[in-house]
Amino acid sequence: MRALRILLIVVVILGGLFVVADRVAVYFAEDEAASKLKTTENLASTPDVSIKGFPFLTQVASGELDDVEVGIKDYEADTGNSGTGGPSTIRIDDLKAHMKGVTFSGDYSSATADNATGTATIAYDELLKAAKSQPTQVITGVTAQVVGLSDGGNGKIRSDVKISVAGHSQTYPVLSTVTVEGDDVKVHADNLPKLVVDLAESRIRSITDFQQTIDELPGGVKLDSVQAAKNGVEITVKGSNVRLAG
C-alpha cells in the first residue's frame, strides 16, 4: 500500500508538472505567434492570439493546431482609393477570427490555417467616409449630401440626406440596404422621399447609393456577409489556406 501511495503521488506530481510545462509552452507559442502576426500584417498593436485545446504539446508533436483564435482591435484595411482622393484605408474594429487546422514551422515564423471564419464591425462614421463628403449639385440650384449614417432597425442603414434648394436645406431619413459583392460593401437606398424623386432620382442616387472596397484583410480572408447593427455594420469573413504569419 505504501508503494502504491508513493506511485500515485509521483503520478500526480508528474501530471502537475506536465500541465505546467504545457501551459508555459502554449503561452510562449501565443506570444511568438502574436509577435509574428503583428510584423506580417504591419499592425499598430500586438493582436490577441489564443491556442485552444489541451494538451498543447501533443498538438505541437503532430505539427498541427486544432483551433486558434485571433483578435485584432483596430485594423486599417486598404480601400483601393490610393491616389483617387478618397480615403485610402478604413478602420475595422474588433476583428475576431477562428482558425482551424493550423500548420506551423518549428520557430513559429510561419503558420497557415486550412480555413478561417470571423466577425468584425465597421463604425458608421468610418463607412460615411465612403459617401461623398461634400455637397454635390444634382440640378441647377439643388445640392445633396449624405450627412449621417446610423442603425435603421431590421438590418437596415439609416442615411440622413440633406437636400438644399435655393439656399433652403432639409434633411430626409432614408432607409438603405447593405450588401456584400466581392470586396465591396454596397449601400443602396430602398426608397427616396417624393421631393427627391421629383427633383432628379437618378442623380440623387449617385449620392445616396455608394460602395466601399475593403481589401487586403489579415491572412487573405475575404468579406462574406454584412448587416446593419447598432454601432455599425457587422461583417463576417472567411477564407481557406489563411496565412497567420510568415
Side-chain angles (χ1 to χ4, degrees):
M1 290 294 293
R2 183 171 180 274
L4 179 60
R5 285 198 297 271
I6 292 174
L7 178 60
L8 289 174
I9 291 171
V10 170
V11 169
V12 170
I13 292 174
L14 289 177
L17 291 174
F18 175 78
V19 171
V20 171
D22 190 82
R23 293 302 88 191
V24 170
V26 77
Y27 292 147
F28 171 77
E30 288 171 345
D31 286 344
E32 285 295 302
S35 178
K36 296 294 185 183
L37 182 59
K38 178 183 178 182
T39 300
T40 299
E41 298 295 339
N42 194 29
L43 303 176
S45 60
T46 302
D48 294 325
V49 175
S50 178
I51 299 173
K52 304 299 182 180
F54 178 84
F56 166 69
L57 292 174
T58 59
Q59 296 183 69
V60 172
S62 71
E64 181 175 307
L65 305 178
D66 298 332
D67 187 1
V68 178
E69 292 183 2
V70 175
I72 302 174
K73 286 296 182 183
D74 298 306
Y75 182 78
E76 296 290 334
D78 185 22
T79 63
N81 289 334
S82 180
T84 66
S88 60
T89 62
I90 185 169
R91 189 185 76 250
I92 298 178
D93 300 323
D94 295 325
L95 176 61
K96 296 184 173 78
H98 291 263
M99 313 287 184
K100 300 290 187 180
V102 179
T103 56
F104 54 91
S105 62
D107 61 355
Y108 307 104
S109 61
S110 64
T112 303
D114 286 342
N115 59 78
T117 58
T119 59
T121 300
I122 301 173
Y124 285 117
D125 61 344
E126 282 293 303
L127 191 60
L128 183 61
K129 295 176 183 178
K132 292 180 173 60
S133 60
Q134 299 297 322
T136 299
Q137 180 171 289
V138 291
I139 57 176
T140 302
V142 179
T143 61
Q145 179 186 16
V146 177
V147 295
L149 298 175
S150 59
D151 181 20
N154 297 318
K156 301 289 186 179
I157 290 179
R158 169 177 164 158
S159 300
D160 292 326
V161 183
K162 184 170 73 173
I163 307 294
S164 299
V165 181
H168 299 282
S169 300
Q170 184 170 344
T171 300
Y172 298 87
V174 176
L175 290 180
S176 300
T177 298
V178 58
T179 57
V180 162
E181 185 176 314
D183 293 330
D184 298 325
V185 173
K186 293 189 171 185
V187 177
H188 176 77
D190 294 347
N191 293 290
L192 297 176
K194 185 177 185 301
L195 171 63
V196 172
V197 174
D198 290 344
L199 288 172
E201 179 173 5
S202 63
R203 294 190 180 184
I204 295 293
R205 281 197 176 276
S206 69
I207 308 300
T208 62
D209 297 2
F210 61 92
Q211 64 185 49
Q212 176 63 72
T213 299
I214 299 177
D215 198 7
E216 297 183 10
L217 290 169
V221 295
K222 296 292 186 180
L223 295 175
D224 183 42
S225 65
V226 63
Q227 180 172 310
K230 180 178 179 181
N231 297 317
V233 293
E234 295 179 347
I235 62 174
T236 63
V237 298
K238 66 179 181 180
S240 57
N241 295 320
V242 176
R243 174 177 49 81
L244 278 76

